[in-house]
Structures are given as structure tokens and as C-alpha cells.
Amino acid sequence: MESPSPISIQQTFAQDPHPEPSPKHKKSIVTALMAATLRSPSFREDTYFVSHLKSAEKKALQELKDKLSVSHAPPVSMWGISLLDGSDKADVILLKFLRARDFRVPESLQMLTRCLMWRQSFEADKILDEDLGFKEIEGVVAYMYGYDRDGHPVCYNDYGVFKDKNMYERVFGDEEKLQKFLRWRIQVLERGIKLLHFKPGGVNSIIQVTDLKDMPKRELRVASNHILSLCFRIITLKWSPIFINAPWYFSVLYSVFSPFLTQRTKSKFVISKEGNVAETLYKYVRPEDVPVQYGGLSRPSDLENGPPKPASEFTVKGGEKVNIQIEGIEAGATITWDIVVGGWDLDYSVEFVPAAEESYTLAIEKPKEDCRAEEAIRNSFTTREAGKMVLSVDNTASRKKKVAAYRYVVRKSTAI
């Protein structure tokens, strides 16, 4: 017989949590996109089973194969996979090009041909073995980090570091430096592609999370156009893009390349304004896999200890106080916990309540209102007597709903 969960969540309304009326505003491209794209809880990737295709789609796939074999002398390969051997892996790649052009064979072949030519001239197949430098921005500007809820590898991009003029000049100071950076950025992407399965029903795309906060406008005008021109060649093939902290002028940038994307590709885009980062990412990535700087619980050091401990998710409504009770803690045990609330800006406190009635409740973390950063709080406490821990999240002063997550580990005393 399973024991009852030691965790209970109590909800207390200190005020009537009526939703705030939304201010009237004109819809920009960004707000319209957000309304359209933040409905799906996860990316639905195509299965790539040929048996699931419609008859017209099967015909288009065979026609693309025939035309490719006529226009290109073997071997024809991409990411180390032969495109003319009739394998399932080849079908996955060819179907990506067909779907990117709504199964219009001539346009799909043209796109595929251009991509093959670009990879050859760019020497993309050799790029993984190159040492391009950029040690100071590795793990900061573009990096692979964890997986989404469906097992897709996730790549995070943050160009806000280039608001520093010295950093900007070191990386984008001249055309040679810019081209070297672009090559490094593609190298990061190629590493991510190595994690894909290239098989029907498998993981065949990467989730790209791009943080637009503090991105310099100058960098948008100069470098982003180059990045997009290169990455556009594969965006319809391997990316499912999420843009977070989107400023108003992002709509201008989006309008530049959106005419070249099919409606199907546009539907993959997720665009979120500032303040909705955790709420957006939790739809696709579990909190324990989201980096702490984006409202998750994952720290780089955690990855050294194997798979992350799963977190429990909850929602704090406006006007609501949530108490998380961790019961059954023995004397001498050490409890370590992580907790985060998207956007914070509320009261947070922690108490230890001894089981003995004659003992006093201990304030481990006194109520504080300065929880405004996105990053999670991690703390630990060693008990002297048995009891329970109570983590309190007080959102009674706000009417805004917030997503939150926590996890904990209790280690019993080893003293004899």
C-alpha cells in the first residue's frame, strides 16, 4: 500500500482575485503571433512514416528522389546520410524539404540543391573538427542545454552580451571576425544536429530558444541579418524556434524574413514578450531542465550529477497564498530545496514546524518581498528534531497568475 504524499498545497485567498481588465492596445505582429502560437503545450513533430503519407505526398517524395538522382551524381549526402539509398533516414531529410515547400517538388528540389551547394562551399561537414576560439562566449551566447518534454535537444541563444561595446568589437569588429563568428554559430548547431535520430517516429528537430532581452539594435541590423541568412537555410528543416523577451522592434525583423516562410513554418514560431519567460518555457521544457536565468531550476553544476531530479509544478493565482508542506522529516536530517516562481515579485518565506507541541516554530527564511529576479532559490536546513518544512509563496498582493516549481531532497542523519 502506497504511503500518502508528504506534500500538501494549501490555498488561501486574502482578496477577491478578479482578473485585471486588459488595457486596449493596437495589435502588433508580435502580439498577434503570441496569441496564435502560445496555445499548444508541446511541439508536434511529424512522424516521417512514409506509410502515413497521403498518396499525393508519396508521389512527391518519389518524384523528388528521381529528380535528385538525375540532377546530382552520387554520392549525395547531408549530415553523413546518403540521400539516394532509399533509407528511412534519407526519407526523413527529403520529407523535411518537401514539407518546407508544401510538397511542391520543383521548389523543394531547388531548396535542397541550394542547401547542398551551401554546405559544400561552407565546408560544413568539416566544421565540427575546427577550433574557432570564442571560449569567452561558449555556454553564454549559443549552447546546447538539456531536452524538452518530448526529448528534443534544446539550444539557447542570448546575444545580450554584445551590448558591451568591447565585446561587440572583439566579435563583430570587421567582416573577417563576423564570418568567423557565423561559422562558430553554425558549428554549435551542427553539434545539436548530431543528437537527432533521423528516423520515423524519432526526435528529428531541435528546439531553439532565443533571448532577445538587451540585444543591441546595432547588432540586430548588422549581425542578425547574416545569422538569419545562414540559418534560414536550415530553419525550416531542423528548428522549432521560441523567442523570449521579445521587444517591440522584433516585429520589424520578423517582417523581413516571414514572407519567405510557409504558413506551416510560421506556425512553429513561439514569440513571448518580457515577463512571460517561465510561463512560456514551461509549456515545452520541464522546470528542472530550464536554466535558472530563465526561471527554471537547472544550474550547470547540476549536470555533473546525472539526470536532474524531477520538479513539481504548481500555479499561484492572483490573490492566493500557497503553502507547500514537506512532512515526515526526522531529527538530524538535512533537507535541501529549490523553488522558483516565474517573475517572482511576491512574498516568500520558509518555516520549520517541530512535531512536538512544546517546541517553537523556526523561521528558516523570513518573509521577504525582494524576490524579483528570475533565478531559483536553493537552500538547506539540518533539523534537531522531527517535524515538517513549510514553504510559503504569498501572491495576495497581486492579481497576476504565476507559474512555479519546486523540488527537495531529504538526507537522513548518519550519526550513530
Side-chain angles (χ1 to χ4, degrees), residues 27 31 42 57 97 99 122 160 173 186 190 207 223 244 248 277 285 306 319 364 374 387 390:
K27 277 193 173 182
T31 54
S42 64
E57 294 172 342
F97 282 94
R99 288 193 167 110
F122 199 74
I186 295 299
E190 290 286 313
I207 306 300
I244 56 176
W248 64 268
V277 174
V285 185
I364 309 303
E374 288 288 324
V390 181

mmCIF file with all atom_site columns, all heavy atoms in Angstrom, residues 27 31 42 57 97 99 122 160 173 186 190 207 223 244 248 277 285 306 319 364 374 387 390:
data_model
loop_
_atom_site.group_PDB
_atom_site.id
_atom_site.type_symbol
_atom_site.label_atom_id
_atom_site.label_alt_id
_atom_site.label_comp_id
_atom_site.label_asym_id
_atom_site.label_entity_id
_atom_site.label_seq_id
_atom_site.pdbx_PDB_ins_code
_atom_site.Cartn_x
_atom_site.Cartn_y
_atom_site.Cartn_z
_atom_site.occupancy
_atom_site.B_iso_or_equiv
_atom_site.pdbx_formal_charge
_atom_site.auth_seq_id
_atom_site.auth_comp_id
_atom_site.auth_asym_id
_atom_site.auth_atom_id
_atom_site.pdbx_PDB_model_num
ATOM 1   N N   . LYS A 1 27  ? -2.759 45.804 -31.905 1.00 0.00 ? 27  LYS A N   1
ATOM 2   C CA  . LYS A 1 27  ? -2.034 44.551 -32.069 1.00 0.00 ? 27  LYS A CA  1
ATOM 3   C C   . LYS A 1 27  ? -0.870 44.727 -33.024 1.00 0.00 ? 27  LYS A C   1
ATOM 4   O O   . LYS A 1 27  ? -1.044 45.129 -34.153 1.00 0.00 ? 27  LYS A O   1
ATOM 5   C CB  . LYS A 1 27  ? -2.971 43.461 -32.604 1.00 0.00 ? 27  LYS A CB  1
ATOM 6   C CG  . LYS A 1 27  ? -3.799 42.787 -31.535 1.00 0.00 ? 27  LYS A CG  1
ATOM 7   C CD  . LYS A 1 27  ? -4.454 41.541 -32.079 1.00 0.00 ? 27  LYS A CD  1
ATOM 8   C CE  . LYS A 1 27  ? -5.152 40.773 -30.966 1.00 0.00 ? 27  LYS A CE  1
ATOM 9   N NZ  . LYS A 1 27  ? -5.751 39.534 -31.473 1.00 0.00 ? 27  LYS A NZ  1
ATOM 10  N N   . THR A 1 31  ? 2.370  40.645 -30.900 1.00 0.00 ? 31  THR A N   1
ATOM 11  C CA  . THR A 1 31  ? 1.245  40.255 -30.058 1.00 0.00 ? 31  THR A CA  1
ATOM 12  C C   . THR A 1 31  ? 0.307  39.320 -30.791 1.00 0.00 ? 31  THR A C   1
ATOM 13  O O   . THR A 1 31  ? -0.260 38.408 -30.200 1.00 0.00 ? 31  THR A O   1
ATOM 14  C CB  . THR A 1 31  ? 0.466  41.502 -29.581 1.00 0.00 ? 31  THR A CB  1
ATOM 15  O OG1 . THR A 1 31  ? 0.087  42.284 -30.725 1.00 0.00 ? 31  THR A OG1 1
ATOM 16  C CG2 . THR A 1 31  ? 1.312  42.344 -28.667 1.00 0.00 ? 31  THR A CG2 1
ATOM 17  N N   . SER A 1 42  ? 3.001  21.555 -26.503 1.00 0.00 ? 42  SER A N   1
ATOM 18  C CA  . SER A 1 42  ? 4.265  20.999 -26.963 1.00 0.00 ? 42  SER A CA  1
ATOM 19  C C   . SER A 1 42  ? 4.310  21.038 -28.472 1.00 0.00 ? 42  SER A C   1
ATOM 20  O O   . SER A 1 42  ? 3.294  21.188 -29.139 1.00 0.00 ? 42  SER A O   1
ATOM 21  C CB  . SER A 1 42  ? 4.433  19.556 -26.473 1.00 0.00 ? 42  SER A CB  1
ATOM 22  O OG  . SER A 1 42  ? 3.439  18.725 -27.040 1.00 0.00 ? 42  SER A OG  1
ATOM 23  N N   . GLU A 1 57  ? 1.458  12.869 -51.497 1.00 0.00 ? 57  GLU A N   1
ATOM 24  C CA  . GLU A 1 57  ? 2.715  13.140 -50.819 1.00 0.00 ? 57  GLU A CA  1
ATOM 25  C C   . GLU A 1 57  ? 3.739  12.037 -51.100 1.00 0.00 ? 57  GLU A C   1
ATOM 26  O O   . GLU A 1 57  ? 4.931  12.318 -51.283 1.00 0.00 ? 57  GLU A O   1
ATOM 27  C CB  . GLU A 1 57  ? 2.462  13.281 -49.318 1.00 0.00 ? 57  GLU A CB  1
ATOM 28  C CG  . GLU A 1 57  ? 1.606  14.496 -48.964 1.00 0.00 ? 57  GLU A CG  1
ATOM 29  C CD  . GLU A 1 57  ? 1.185  14.527 -47.514 1.00 0.00 ? 57  GLU A CD  1
ATOM 30  O OE1 . GLU A 1 57  ? 1.247  13.471 -46.841 1.00 0.00 ? 57  GLU A OE1 1
ATOM 31  O OE2 . GLU A 1 57  ? 0.777  15.603 -47.032 1.00 0.00 ? 57  GLU A OE2 1
ATOM 32  N N   . PHE A 1 97  ? 12.435 18.789 -46.534 1.00 0.00 ? 97  PHE A N   1
ATOM 33  C CA  . PHE A 1 97  ? 12.471 19.754 -47.636 1.00 0.00 ? 97  PHE A CA  1
ATOM 34  C C   . PHE A 1 97  ? 11.111 19.847 -48.326 1.00 0.00 ? 97  PHE A C   1
ATOM 35  O O   . PHE A 1 97  ? 10.662 20.939 -48.700 1.00 0.00 ? 97  PHE A O   1
ATOM 36  C CB  . PHE A 1 97  ? 13.554 19.365 -48.644 1.00 0.00 ? 97  PHE A CB  1
ATOM 37  C CG  . PHE A 1 97  ? 14.938 19.727 -48.202 1.00 0.00 ? 97  PHE A CG  1
ATOM 38  C CD1 . PHE A 1 97  ? 15.739 18.810 -47.527 1.00 0.00 ? 97  PHE A CD1 1
ATOM 39  C CD2 . PHE A 1 97  ? 15.452 20.999 -48.433 1.00 0.00 ? 97  PHE A CD2 1
ATOM 40  C CE1 . PHE A 1 97  ? 17.018 19.150 -47.103 1.00 0.00 ? 97  PHE A CE1 1
ATOM 41  C CE2 . PHE A 1 97  ? 16.735 21.346 -48.019 1.00 0.00 ? 97  PHE A CE2 1
ATOM 42  C CZ  . PHE A 1 97  ? 17.511 20.416 -47.357 1.00 0.00 ? 97  PHE A CZ  1
ATOM 43  N N   . ARG A 1 99  ? 8.129  19.233 -46.978 1.00 0.00 ? 99  ARG A N   1
ATOM 44  C CA  . ARG A 1 99  ? 7.161  19.914 -46.105 1.00 0.00 ? 99  ARG A CA  1
ATOM 45  C C   . ARG A 1 99  ? 7.461  21.403 -45.999 1.00 0.00 ? 99  ARG A C   1
ATOM 46  O O   . ARG A 1 99  ? 6.556  22.222 -45.835 1.00 0.00 ? 99  ARG A O   1
ATOM 47  C CB  . ARG A 1 99  ? 7.179  19.271 -44.724 1.00 0.00 ? 99  ARG A CB  1
ATOM 48  C CG  . ARG A 1 99  ? 6.531  17.885 -44.706 1.00 0.00 ? 99  ARG A CG  1
ATOM 49  C CD  . ARG A 1 99  ? 6.283  17.403 -43.296 1.00 0.00 ? 99  ARG A CD  1
ATOM 50  N NE  . ARG A 1 99  ? 5.397  16.246 -43.296 1.00 0.00 ? 99  ARG A NE  1
ATOM 51  C CZ  . ARG A 1 99  ? 5.781  15.006 -42.994 1.00 0.00 ? 99  ARG A CZ  1
ATOM 52  N NH1 . ARG A 1 99  ? 7.039  14.768 -42.667 1.00 0.00 ? 99  ARG A NH1 1
ATOM 53  N NH2 . ARG A 1 99  ? 4.915  14.017 -43.005 1.00 0.00 ? 99  ARG A NH2 1
ATOM 54  N N   . PHE A 1 122 ? 30.621 26.082 -47.759 1.00 0.00 ? 122 PHE A N   1
ATOM 55  C CA  . PHE A 1 122 ? 30.867 26.451 -46.364 1.00 0.00 ? 122 PHE A CA  1
ATOM 56  C C   . PHE A 1 122 ? 31.740 25.411 -45.658 1.00 0.00 ? 122 PHE A C   1
ATOM 57  O O   . PHE A 1 122 ? 32.225 25.658 -44.552 1.00 0.00 ? 122 PHE A O   1
ATOM 58  C CB  . PHE A 1 122 ? 29.520 26.594 -45.638 1.00 0.00 ? 122 PHE A CB  1
ATOM 59  C CG  . PHE A 1 122 ? 29.573 27.376 -44.364 1.00 0.00 ? 122 PHE A CG  1
ATOM 60  C CD1 . PHE A 1 122 ? 29.702 28.759 -44.372 1.00 0.00 ? 122 PHE A CD1 1
ATOM 61  C CD2 . PHE A 1 122 ? 29.491 26.734 -43.133 1.00 0.00 ? 122 PHE A CD2 1
ATOM 62  C CE1 . PHE A 1 122 ? 29.738 29.478 -43.184 1.00 0.00 ? 122 PHE A CE1 1
ATOM 63  C CE2 . PHE A 1 122 ? 29.525 27.443 -41.946 1.00 0.00 ? 122 PHE A CE2 1
ATOM 64  C CZ  . PHE A 1 122 ? 29.646 28.830 -41.977 1.00 0.00 ? 122 PHE A CZ  1
ATOM 65  N N   . GLY A 1 160 ? 22.499 39.285 -25.799 1.00 0.00 ? 160 GLY A N   1
ATOM 66  C CA  . GLY A 1 160 ? 22.549 40.477 -24.970 1.00 0.00 ? 160 GLY A CA  1
ATOM 67  C C   . GLY A 1 160 ? 23.948 40.838 -24.507 1.00 0.00 ? 160 GLY A C   1
ATOM 68  O O   . GLY A 1 160 ? 24.215 41.991 -24.165 1.00 0.00 ? 160 GLY A O   1
ATOM 69  N N   . GLY A 1 173 ? 33.893 43.172 -34.963 1.00 0.00 ? 173 GLY A N   1
ATOM 70  C CA  . GLY A 1 173 ? 34.619 44.383 -35.323 1.00 0.00 ? 173 GLY A CA  1
ATOM 71  C C   . GLY A 1 173 ? 34.868 44.572 -36.802 1.00 0.00 ? 173 GLY A C   1
ATOM 72  O O   . GLY A 1 173 ? 34.943 45.697 -37.289 1.00 0.00 ? 173 GLY A O   1
ATOM 73  N N   . ILE A 1 186 ? 27.205 28.213 -36.544 1.00 0.00 ? 186 ILE A N   1
ATOM 74  C CA  . ILE A 1 186 ? 26.764 27.034 -37.274 1.00 0.00 ? 186 ILE A CA  1
ATOM 75  C C   . ILE A 1 186 ? 27.375 25.777 -36.667 1.00 0.00 ? 186 ILE A C   1
ATOM 76  O O   . ILE A 1 186 ? 26.741 24.717 -36.633 1.00 0.00 ? 186 ILE A O   1
ATOM 77  C CB  . ILE A 1 186 ? 27.132 27.157 -38.768 1.00 0.00 ? 186 ILE A CB  1
ATOM 78  C CG1 . ILE A 1 186 ? 26.366 28.323 -39.408 1.00 0.00 ? 186 ILE A CG1 1
ATOM 79  C CG2 . ILE A 1 186 ? 26.806 25.863 -39.515 1.00 0.00 ? 186 ILE A CG2 1
ATOM 80  C CD1 . ILE A 1 186 ? 24.855 28.191 -39.366 1.00 0.00 ? 186 ILE A CD1 1
ATOM 81  N N   . GLU A 1 190 ? 25.439 22.431 -35.642 1.00 0.00 ? 190 GLU A N   1
ATOM 82  C CA  . GLU A 1 190 ? 25.809 21.117 -36.174 1.00 0.00 ? 190 GLU A CA  1
ATOM 83  C C   . GLU A 1 190 ? 26.019 20.108 -35.036 1.00 0.00 ? 190 GLU A C   1
ATOM 84  O O   . GLU A 1 190 ? 25.700 18.928 -35.177 1.00 0.00 ? 190 GLU A O   1
ATOM 85  C CB  . GLU A 1 190 ? 27.073 21.229 -37.017 1.00 0.00 ? 190 GLU A CB  1
ATOM 86  C CG  . GLU A 1 190 ? 26.891 21.973 -38.332 1.00 0.00 ? 190 GLU A CG  1
ATOM 87  C CD  . GLU A 1 190 ? 26.148 21.154 -39.373 1.00 0.00 ? 190 GLU A CD  1
ATOM 88  O OE1 . GLU A 1 190 ? 26.496 19.978 -39.566 1.00 0.00 ? 190 GLU A OE1 1
ATOM 89  O OE2 . GLU A 1 190 ? 25.219 21.700 -39.988 1.00 0.00 ? 190 GLU A OE2 1
ATOM 90  N N   . ILE A 1 207 ? 14.921 22.328 -30.591 1.00 0.00 ? 207 ILE A N   1
ATOM 91  C CA  . ILE A 1 207 ? 14.202 23.488 -30.068 1.00 0.00 ? 207 ILE A CA  1
ATOM 92  C C   . ILE A 1 207 ? 15.215 24.614 -29.904 1.00 0.00 ? 207 ILE A C   1
ATOM 93  O O   . ILE A 1 207 ? 16.230 24.455 -29.224 1.00 0.00 ? 207 ILE A O   1
ATOM 94  C CB  . ILE A 1 207 ? 13.537 23.178 -28.716 1.00 0.00 ? 207 ILE A CB  1
ATOM 95  C CG1 . ILE A 1 207 ? 12.638 21.947 -28.818 1.00 0.00 ? 207 ILE A CG1 1
ATOM 96  C CG2 . ILE A 1 207 ? 12.753 24.392 -28.228 1.00 0.00 ? 207 ILE A CG2 1
ATOM 97  C CD1 . ILE A 1 207 ? 11.510 22.084 -29.809 1.00 0.00 ? 207 ILE A CD1 1
ATOM 98  N N   . ALA A 1 223 ? 24.585 41.943 -37.527 1.00 0.00 ? 223 ALA A N   1
ATOM 99  C CA  . ALA A 1 223 ? 24.879 40.519 -37.398 1.00 0.00 ? 223 ALA A CA  1
ATOM 100 C C   . ALA A 1 223 ? 23.661 39.628 -37.597 1.00 0.00 ? 223 ALA A C   1
ATOM 101 O O   . ALA A 1 223 ? 23.763 38.570 -38.203 1.00 0.00 ? 223 ALA A O   1
ATOM 102 C CB  . ALA A 1 223 ? 25.494 40.247 -36.033 1.00 0.00 ? 223 ALA A CB  1
ATOM 103 N N   . ILE A 1 244 ? 12.039 34.648 -26.706 1.00 0.00 ? 244 ILE A N   1
ATOM 104 C CA  . ILE A 1 244 ? 11.584 35.162 -25.413 1.00 0.00 ? 244 ILE A CA  1
ATOM 105 C C   . ILE A 1 244 ? 12.104 36.580 -25.205 1.00 0.00 ? 244 ILE A C   1
ATOM 106 O O   . ILE A 1 244 ? 13.069 37.003 -25.837 1.00 0.00 ? 244 ILE A O   1
ATOM 107 C CB  . ILE A 1 244 ? 12.048 34.251 -24.259 1.00 0.00 ? 244 ILE A CB  1
ATOM 108 C CG1 . ILE A 1 244 ? 13.576 34.086 -24.269 1.00 0.00 ? 244 ILE A CG1 1
ATOM 109 C CG2 . ILE A 1 244 ? 11.367 32.898 -24.336 1.00 0.00 ? 244 ILE A CG2 1
ATOM 110 C CD1 . ILE A 1 244 ? 14.122 33.275 -23.097 1.00 0.00 ? 244 ILE A CD1 1
ATOM 111 N N   . TRP A 1 248 ? 9.537  45.398 -28.850 1.00 0.00 ? 248 TRP A N   1
ATOM 112 C CA  . TRP A 1 248 ? 8.574  45.815 -29.868 1.00 0.00 ? 248 TRP A CA  1
ATOM 113 C C   . TRP A 1 248 ? 9.168  45.786 -31.266 1.00 0.00 ? 248 TRP A C   1
ATOM 114 O O   . TRP A 1 248 ? 8.483  45.475 -32.243 1.00 0.00 ? 248 TRP A O   1
ATOM 115 C CB  . TRP A 1 248 ? 8.059  47.227 -29.550 1.00 0.00 ? 248 TRP A CB  1
ATOM 116 C CG  . TRP A 1 248 ? 9.137  48.280 -29.613 1.00 0.00 ? 248 TRP A CG  1
ATOM 117 C CD1 . TRP A 1 248 ? 9.907  48.716 -28.583 1.00 0.00 ? 248 TRP A CD1 1
ATOM 118 C CD2 . TRP A 1 248 ? 9.580  49.005 -30.771 1.00 0.00 ? 248 TRP A CD2 1
ATOM 119 N NE1 . TRP A 1 248 ? 10.806 49.660 -29.009 1.00 0.00 ? 248 TRP A NE1 1
ATOM 120 C CE2 . TRP A 1 248 ? 10.626 49.872 -30.348 1.00 0.00 ? 248 TRP A CE2 1
ATOM 121 C CE3 . TRP A 1 248 ? 9.204  49.016 -32.106 1.00 0.00 ? 248 TRP A CE3 1
ATOM 122 C CZ2 . TRP A 1 248 ? 11.282 50.723 -31.226 1.00 0.00 ? 248 TRP A CZ2 1
ATOM 123 C CZ3 . TRP A 1 248 ? 9.864  49.873 -32.982 1.00 0.00 ? 248 TRP A CZ3 1
ATOM 124 C CH2 . TRP A 1 248 ? 10.887 50.715 -32.554 1.00 0.00 ? 248 TRP A CH2 1
ATOM 125 N N   . VAL A 1 277 ? 8.573  34.647 -19.555 1.00 0.00 ? 277 VAL A N   1
ATOM 126 C CA  . VAL A 1 277 ? 9.589  33.671 -19.941 1.00 0.00 ? 277 VAL A CA  1
ATOM 127 C C   . VAL A 1 277 ? 9.309  32.297 -19.351 1.00 0.00 ? 277 VAL A C   1
ATOM 128 O O   . VAL A 1 277 ? 9.213  31.295 -20.077 1.00 0.00 ? 277 VAL A O   1
ATOM 129 C CB  . VAL A 1 277 ? 10.996 34.149 -19.531 1.00 0.00 ? 277 VAL A CB  1
ATOM 130 C CG1 . VAL A 1 277 ? 12.029 33.058 -19.803 1.00 0.00 ? 277 VAL A CG1 1
ATOM 131 C CG2 . VAL A 1 277 ? 11.363 35.418 -20.287 1.00 0.00 ? 277 VAL A CG2 1
ATOM 132 N N   . VAL A 1 285 ? 9.378  22.818 -21.912 1.00 0.00 ? 285 VAL A N   1
ATOM 133 C CA  . VAL A 1 285 ? 10.536 22.256 -21.207 1.00 0.00 ? 285 VAL A CA  1
ATOM 134 C C   . VAL A 1 285 ? 10.187 22.145 -19.727 1.00 0.00 ? 285 VAL A C   1
ATOM 135 O O   . VAL A 1 285 ? 9.651  23.090 -19.134 1.00 0.00 ? 285 VAL A O   1
ATOM 136 C CB  . VAL A 1 285 ? 11.785 23.142 -21.392 1.00 0.00 ? 285 VAL A CB  1
ATOM 137 C CG1 . VAL A 1 285 ? 13.008 22.478 -20.767 1.00 0.00 ? 285 VAL A CG1 1
ATOM 138 C CG2 . VAL A 1 285 ? 12.035 23.435 -22.865 1.00 0.00 ? 285 VAL A CG2 1
ATOM 139 N N   . GLY A 1 306 ? 24.440 13.614 -13.060 1.00 0.00 ? 306 GLY A N   1
ATOM 140 C CA  . GLY A 1 306 ? 23.479 12.744 -13.718 1.00 0.00 ? 306 GLY A CA  1
ATOM 141 C C   . GLY A 1 306 ? 22.172 13.454 -14.018 1.00 0.00 ? 306 GLY A C   1
ATOM 142 O O   . GLY A 1 306 ? 22.072 14.685 -13.929 1.00 0.00 ? 306 GLY A O   1
ATOM 143 N N   . GLY A 1 319 ? -4.028 36.906 -5.815  1.00 0.00 ? 319 GLY A N   1
ATOM 144 C CA  . GLY A 1 319 ? -4.781 36.928 -4.573  1.00 0.00 ? 319 GLY A CA  1
ATOM 145 C C   . GLY A 1 319 ? -4.676 35.642 -3.775  1.00 0.00 ? 319 GLY A C   1
ATOM 146 O O   . GLY A 1 319 ? -5.468 35.402 -2.872  1.00 0.00 ? 319 GLY A O   1
ATOM 147 N N   . ILE A 1 364 ? 13.110 29.809 8.996   1.00 0.00 ? 364 ILE A N   1
ATOM 148 C CA  . ILE A 1 364 ? 14.337 29.496 8.245   1.00 0.00 ? 364 ILE A CA  1
ATOM 149 C C   . ILE A 1 364 ? 14.652 30.629 7.266   1.00 0.00 ? 364 ILE A C   1
ATOM 150 O O   . ILE A 1 364 ? 15.795 31.074 7.157   1.00 0.00 ? 364 ILE A O   1
ATOM 151 C CB  . ILE A 1 364 ? 14.175 28.167 7.479   1.00 0.00 ? 364 ILE A CB  1
ATOM 152 C CG1 . ILE A 1 364 ? 13.683 27.064 8.427   1.00 0.00 ? 364 ILE A CG1 1
ATOM 153 C CG2 . ILE A 1 364 ? 15.486 27.774 6.808   1.00 0.00 ? 364 ILE A CG2 1
ATOM 154 C CD1 . ILE A 1 364 ? 14.571 26.847 9.614   1.00 0.00 ? 364 ILE A CD1 1
ATOM 155 N N   . GLU A 1 374 ? 14.594 36.357 -11.722 1.00 0.00 ? 374 GLU A N   1
ATOM 156 C CA  . GLU A 1 374 ? 14.054 35.145 -12.319 1.00 0.00 ? 374 GLU A CA  1
ATOM 157 C C   . GLU A 1 374 ? 14.655 33.892 -11.684 1.00 0.00 ? 374 GLU A C   1
ATOM 158 O O   . GLU A 1 374 ? 14.068 32.829 -11.730 1.00 0.00 ? 374 GLU A O   1
ATOM 159 C CB  . GLU A 1 374 ? 14.340 35.133 -13.821 1.00 0.00 ? 374 GLU A CB  1
ATOM 160 C CG  . GLU A 1 374 ? 13.515 36.129 -14.625 1.00 0.00 ? 374 GLU A CG  1
ATOM 161 C CD  . GLU A 1 374 ? 12.061 35.730 -14.740 1.00 0.00 ? 374 GLU A CD  1
ATOM 162 O OE1 . GLU A 1 374 ? 11.775 34.536 -14.836 1.00 0.00 ? 374 GLU A OE1 1
ATOM 163 O OE2 . GLU A 1 374 ? 11.210 36.632 -14.711 1.00 0.00 ? 374 GLU A OE2 1
ATOM 164 N N   . GLY A 1 387 ? 9.843  16.944 12.416  1.00 0.00 ? 387 GLY A N   1
ATOM 165 C CA  . GLY A 1 387 ? 8.838  17.960 12.116  1.00 0.00 ? 387 GLY A CA  1
ATOM 166 C C   . GLY A 1 387 ? 8.577  18.067 10.625  1.00 0.00 ? 387 GLY A C   1
ATOM 167 O O   . GLY A 1 387 ? 8.805  17.109 9.871   1.00 0.00 ? 387 GLY A O   1
ATOM 168 N N   . VAL A 1 390 ? 7.690  24.105 5.841   1.00 0.00 ? 390 VAL A N   1
ATOM 169 C CA  . VAL A 1 390 ? 6.609  24.785 5.131   1.00 0.00 ? 390 VAL A CA  1
ATOM 170 C C   . VAL A 1 390 ? 7.201  25.907 4.288   1.00 0.00 ? 390 VAL A C   1
ATOM 171 O O   . VAL A 1 390 ? 7.784  26.857 4.822   1.00 0.00 ? 390 VAL A O   1
ATOM 172 C CB  . VAL A 1 390 ? 5.547  25.366 6.101   1.00 0.00 ? 390 VAL A CB  1
ATOM 173 C CG1 . VAL A 1 390 ? 4.434  26.038 5.305   1.00 0.00 ? 390 VAL A CG1 1
ATOM 174 C CG2 . VAL A 1 390 ? 4.972  24.259 6.983   1.00 0.00 ? 390 VAL A CG2 1
#
